[in-house]
Amino acid sequence: MTTDINGFVKLRMTDESSDLKPISVPSLLIQAVRESPMHLAMTVKRDNKWMNWTYSDYLSDVRCASRAFIKLGLEPRKGVAIMGFNSPEWFISALATVFCGSVVAGIYPTNSEDMTQYIANHCEANILVVEDDIQLKKVLNIRHQLPQLKAIIQYTGKSKEALSWDELMQIGRKAKDLDGKIDERLGIMGINQCCALCYTSGTTGPPKAVMLSHDNITYMARNIV
């Protein structure tokens, strides 16, 4: 065990898990694309129209968002905090963060400004991804208290105070020269290293973070499937 965000933990090595070799979160998505590229990965209904992502689409958007995050200044082992309800953009942002060798942290949409500020600073967030105007307003009110924050992205609606999701993806599409940088970060990624922080609600004090390694997440994902 470790409490160091840059530390490493022992890999799962048991008889029960011998058929599920430890792999990273990016490797799990890449494997899904290799085996089932046109299989439906995500879908959402908006304006009475279904929007679909195959696994191939999913990986393409994750790589695009990863390039944009790096372009916006996301550093290795720093955080991307996501505040919103379940959506494809939430998951694309989360995976893009991990592809960058950084750490993703979810923030409850119901959190107060104080709790949002605490988590964003605790995970050393370079980027905040918010769902809508309600969440954006919280961030703008505490923006002066977030010294490591470099960019805010809003994935539904538009505001002059944040990049829209379309603007984020446009940045990524124009930054294909950063694919090498992503591959470089993937190449030094430790699958027994933290890639996600899961925070408690903070009802009995400041929110406490549980560190999840690549191996934690991929093992749970493959067992659920």
Side-chain angles (χ1 to χ4, degrees):
M1 295 178 62
T2 180
T3 57
D4 180 2
I5 193 70
N6 297 312
F8 298 85
V9 296
K10 288 184 177 180
L11 288 171
R12 270 179 313 97
M13 298 300 289
T14 67
D15 292 338
E16 294 180 358
S17 61
S18 61
D19 59 330
L20 293 176
K21 293 182 179 180
I23 63 173
S24 69
V25 171
S27 293
L28 187 61
L29 178 57
I30 291 167
Q31 178 180 305
V33 174
R34 185 169 57 247
E35 295 177 355
S36 306
M38 303 312 295
H39 190 82
L40 186 64
M42 298 186 294
T43 186
V44 64
K45 192 174 185 180
R46 289 180 178 156
D47 298 324
N48 292 317
K49 183 179 179 180
W50 285 101
M51 300 173 60
N52 301 318
W53 281 259
T54 64
Y55 276 105
S56 182
D57 297 330
Y58 193 2
L59 178 58
S60 178
D61 278 4
V62 166
R63 294 277 307 200
C64 186
S66 297
R67 295 192 297 266
F69 282 173
I70 292 175
K71 189 73 173 179
L72 292 170
L74 178 59
E75 302 172 37
R77 312 308 304 152
K78 297 298 184 180
V80 172
I82 309 172
M83 186 162 56
F85 290 96
N86 186 15
S87 72
E89 293 86 356
W90 204 110
F91 287 96
I92 291 168
S93 296
L95 267 291
T97 302
V98 178
F99 267 66
C100 291
S102 304
V103 180
V104 61
I107 300 180
Y108 292 111
T110 53
N111 272 12
S112 66
E113 291 177 6
D114 287 344
M115 290 296 185
T116 299
Q117 181 265 331
Y118 178 87
I119 293 174
N121 280 330
H122 186 267
C123 74
E124 299 184 308
N126 285 163
I127 294 174
L128 262 166
V129 180
V130 300
E131 179 176 3
D132 53 23
D133 291 339
I134 295 173
Q135 307 306 332
L136 177 61
K137 184 178 179 180
K138 293 180 191 177
V139 175
L140 294 178
N141 286 340
I142 59 172
R143 178 67 182 84
H144 62 289
Q145 297 176 286
L146 306 175
Q148 299 202 54
L149 186 62
K150 299 179 181 181
I152 306 169
I153 293 102
Q154 182 176 336
Y155 63 81
T156 63
K158 290 187 177 182
S159 169
K160 293 180 180 180
E161 306 292 340
L163 290 169
S164 70
W165 187 258
D166 285 344
E167 289 170 332
L168 176 75
M169 299 307 279
Q170 286 173 16
I171 291 171
R173 284 191 286 270
K174 293 177 180 178
K176 291 188 177 180
D177 58 307
L178 291 176
D179 273 324
K181 179 66 70 174
I182 295 171
D183 293 336
E184 180 183 314
R185 295 191 185 188
L186 288 172
I188 61 173
M189 190 171 288
I191 61 175
N192 56 343
Q193 194 170 25
C194 176
C195 67
L197 293 170
C198 183
Y199 284 87
T200 61
S201 61
T203 53
T204 59
K208 299 170 182 63
V210 174
M211 297 196 299
L212 298 176
S213 69
H214 291 263
D215 185 39
N216 291 145
I217 295 172
T218 55
Y219 182 67
M220 288 188 290
R222 289 183 291 177
N223 270 292
I224 290 172
V225 173

